[in-house]
Amino acid sequence: MAHLVIPPIRRLLTRWGIHPDARKHPAAGLDIVDAGLPPLLVLPLAQQAGAPARPIVRIGDHVLRGQCVAEAAGPISAPVHASTSGTVIAIGEAPMPHASGLPGLAITVRPDGEDRWIERAGEPYPIRLAPEEIARRVAEAGVVGMGGAAFPAAVKLALGQRSVIDTVILNGSECEPYLSCDDRLMRENAADIIEGARLIMRATGARRVLAGIEDNKPEAIDAMKVAAHPYPEVAVVRIPSRYPMGAERQLIYTLLGVEPPAGGRAADVGVVVHNVGTAAAVWRALRHGEPLIERVVTVAGGALAAPRNVRARIGTPLYWLIERAGGLTREPARMVVGGPMMGVAVSDLDTPIGKGASGVLALTSAEVGEREPSACIRCGSCVTACPVGLMPLEMANRIHAGELGQAEDIGLRDCLTCGACGYVCPSRIPLVQYFAHARGELASRERERHRLDHVRELTEARAERVEREAREKAEAHAKRKAERAAAQAKEAAAKARDEEISA
């Protein structure tokens, strides 16, 4: 096979995104360490996009490491597996890393310390598997997007059956400050990532893989190039460091010079995008038969003694990971699960990490840098920073006026909620919070509209049923009346004949 021709990188306009202080050291310079087993593992049922998983175990059950404890609840869902062996001690609400601050359903397992695996069925040469079989096994392993969105990976793998996929893009940008878990994963497990990418390529029917890695990760780029060298269909591409380069649209345009249509998907332009961590999880699921029960997490922030990257079991509570990073040196002003731009602030350190949790950040007041918002000075900085060319100020004004429909008309649904606009705003207006609130309100209205439509349909169906039943009843009554009249007429005719004969 001829070596892959790498497309030219599109030069970024200065009017695009932001370049915040990376703050990725010292964690990026240290090897990944195992976080160990906490006293309890709390496995969220809603740790993926789509429907929460359904429990298939009961309190008191003993489970093994890798055993499925909750099944997928629909086509957009993913199963959950035990992160170790132990006993199920609770199935109910637990604190969750969610913007609402509300708890969520989870399965709590008390480890028995033996860490015994289920029987695993790996495939020595998974590249020989049929595309449908690759997608099926990845679905059973509960693999989801590990860059934060947590979209079930098998759904993307099946896109090749419905769309023509030309290119698999590996997202190795990791553009949010502090986070370096993908960087370390690429340095230490590059071969797993490349093998996983080749399996994704086979499942989707793509002809090439482009691994986009920001130029502030030279060691990761070198490691990935070495791992990709035997495969001419795989290319590692150095891309500029700019936030939010990790957004799907920005990555596709930077690497290929095309954009998915508004409201469309990457598959509409023949592309599938997966995080590098997802690719490694795909490889482990197929080669070793291991479901997704652990991930690399960056534990960092100015309030920590020794920031670093740890390999943690899914369901590990935050306090345990903080202890693995030397503990707190001061009271953090904010605890965040994820990155500082798009992560979720939490207050309960018993909150567990899920499959999409890339970071746990203990930030000081200086790092948070909060101050009271002031009036907009109409400087246009938010417009300059927006990576998708929106007008954040105009959307915010319409939201303030209660004109959510107008905000939607000028691009609210296209907003990535990346936080770039709020980051550069000199007035510290919480623009992203406005947009998130408005989108939530629109979604609520949409649900209410669907509910009312459903009620109307039920009412109309009931009225139609009542009318039909009344009509059928009237017709049956008329039929019985006609039958009685015919019987009476027949009886009268017979009587008349009898009287005539008698005469």
Side-chain angles (χ1 to χ4, degrees):
M1 181 185 293
H3 277 276
L4 183 65
V5 176
I6 303 173
I9 297 300
R10 299 302 183 270
R11 290 195 174 277
L12 298 172
L13 298 175
T14 54
R15 294 174 61 82
W16 182 93
I18 57 176
H19 201 164
D21 184 6
R23 303 191 181 190
K24 295 180 181 290
H25 297 285
L30 300 174
D31 292 345
I32 300 168
V33 296
D34 183 30
L37 269 176
L40 295 176
L41 287 163
V42 181
L43 308 172
L45 298 181
Q47 52 179 308
Q48 68 281 326
R54 285 190 295 256
I56 57 174
V57 294
R58 295 179 295 181
I59 295 175
D61 285 355
H62 188 270
V63 296
L64 298 177
R65 183 179 181 185
Q67 179 179 331
C68 183
V69 295
E71 63 185 3
I76 309 297
S77 185
V80 176
H81 301 79
S83 304
T84 189
S85 57
T87 304
V88 176
I89 64 168
I91 302 175
E93 290 191 340
M96 291 292 144
H98 192 274
S100 68
L102 297 175
L105 293 177
I107 297 172
T108 302
V109 175
R110 176 181 289 122
D112 59 14
E114 298 180 9
D115 209 22
R116 285 184 295 147
W117 273 98
I118 57 168
E119 185 176 346
R120 288 165 284 174
E123 176 63 43
Y125 303 101
I127 199 68
R128 298 177 181 176
L129 294 172
E132 298 81 5
E133 180 65 11
I134 292 174
R136 186 187 70 79
R137 294 194 186 193
V138 168
E140 289 182 350
V143 179
V144 303
M146 297 176 70
F151 192 81
V155 177
K156 285 188 177 182
L157 296 186
L159 286 174
Q161 301 171 28
R162 304 190 300 273
S163 305
V164 178
I165 303 299
D166 174 78
T167 304
V168 171
I169 289 180
L170 279 187
N171 185 352
S173 60
E174 196 168 48
C175 55
E176 282 217 53
Y178 294 95
L179 302 184
S180 57
C181 54
D182 287 349
D183 184 359
R184 287 308 315 183
L185 189 67
M186 288 187 285
R187 296 194 207 186
E188 299 182 31
N189 299 103
D192 289 1
I193 296 169
I194 296 301
E195 293 294 350
R198 295 179 66 236
L199 291 169
I200 294 171
M201 186 177 71
R202 174 157 175 75
T204 57
R207 68 181 181 88
R208 63 178 177 176
V209 174
L210 298 179
I213 307 173
E214 286 192 344
D215 56 16
N216 62 357
K217 303 173 183 63
E219 296 90 348
I221 292 172
D222 291 343
M224 290 284 282
K225 283 185 174 180
V226 169
H229 181 73
Y231 309 110
E233 68 274 23
V234 181
V236 177
V237 186
R238 185 186 300 264
I239 57 178
S241 301
R242 198 166 186 84
Y243 179 84
M245 181 61 77
E248 194 170 81
R249 286 176 176 270
Q250 276 57 50
L251 198 56
I252 292 172
Y253 181 76
T254 301
L255 289 171
L256 300 176
V258 297
E259 285 187 90
R265 304 171 303 170
D268 294 333
V269 291
V271 177
V272 167
V273 181
H274 279 283
N275 177 264
V276 292
T278 308
V282 166
W283 167 250
R284 297 202 67 80
L286 293 168
R287 176 62 184 87
H288 303 290
E290 296 181 8
L292 179 52
I293 60 171
E294 63 181 24
R295 65 156 299 141
V296 181
V297 181
T298 299
V299 188
L304 286 172
R308 69 180 313 147
N309 288 287
V310 299
R311 191 177 300 277
R313 313 291 179 101
I314 303 302
T316 300
L318 304 188
Y319 78 83
W320 184 264
L321 298 179
I322 289 171
E323 290 175 5
R324 306 287 81 71
L328 296 171
T329 59
R330 70 192 82 173
E331 186 70 21
R334 183 179 298 168
M335 289 294 307
V336 176
V337 175
M341 305 297 290
M342 299 184 71
V344 177
V346 296
S347 57
D348 192 336
L349 295 185
D350 285 326
T351 300
I353 63 158
K355 298 175 183 179
S358 52
V360 174
L361 307 181
L363 304 176
T364 65
S365 56
E367 290 172 308
V368 172
E370 282 189 338
R371 72 166 192 258
E372 288 297 315
S374 56
C376 173
I377 61 174
R378 304 193 70 83
C379 63
S381 297
C382 58
V383 178
T384 301
C386 180
V388 289
L390 302 179
M391 300 184 69
L393 172 61
E394 294 303 321
M395 291 196 300
N397 285 341
R398 284 159 174 76
I399 292 167
H400 268 298
E403 301 291 346
L404 300 189
Q406 291 186 18
E408 191 175 20
D409 291 341
I410 61 173
L412 178 61
R413 291 194 185 276
D414 292 323
C415 174
L416 303 177
T417 62
C418 65
C421 55
Y423 182 86
V424 299
C425 177
S427 299
R428 290 295 186 267
I429 299 172
L431 295 166
V432 174
Q433 286 87 331
Y434 293 158
F435 304 151
H437 165 76
R439 288 165 71 163
E441 178 64 24
L442 285 170
S444 177
R445 292 181 184 181
E446 184 72 8
R447 288 193 297 271
E448 180 65 13
R449 185 179 67 78
H450 285 309
R451 187 187 70 81
L452 292 176
D453 287 346
H454 183 58
V455 170
R456 188 187 69 251
E457 290 171 1
L458 291 176
T459 303
E460 292 174 351
R462 183 180 183 279
E464 182 182 343
R465 186 181 70 253
V466 170
E467 182 182 350
R468 184 180 66 252
E469 290 174 351
R471 185 172 62 251
E472 291 172 350
K473 185 177 180 180
E475 290 172 353
H477 178 71
K479 182 179 180 181
R480 289 194 299 272
K481 185 176 180 181
E483 289 173 348
R484 284 196 301 269
Q488 291 171 356
K490 184 177 180 181
E491 184 180 347
K495 184 177 180 181
R497 285 195 302 272
D498 291 344
E499 289 176 350
E500 185 179 345
I501 293 171
S502 298

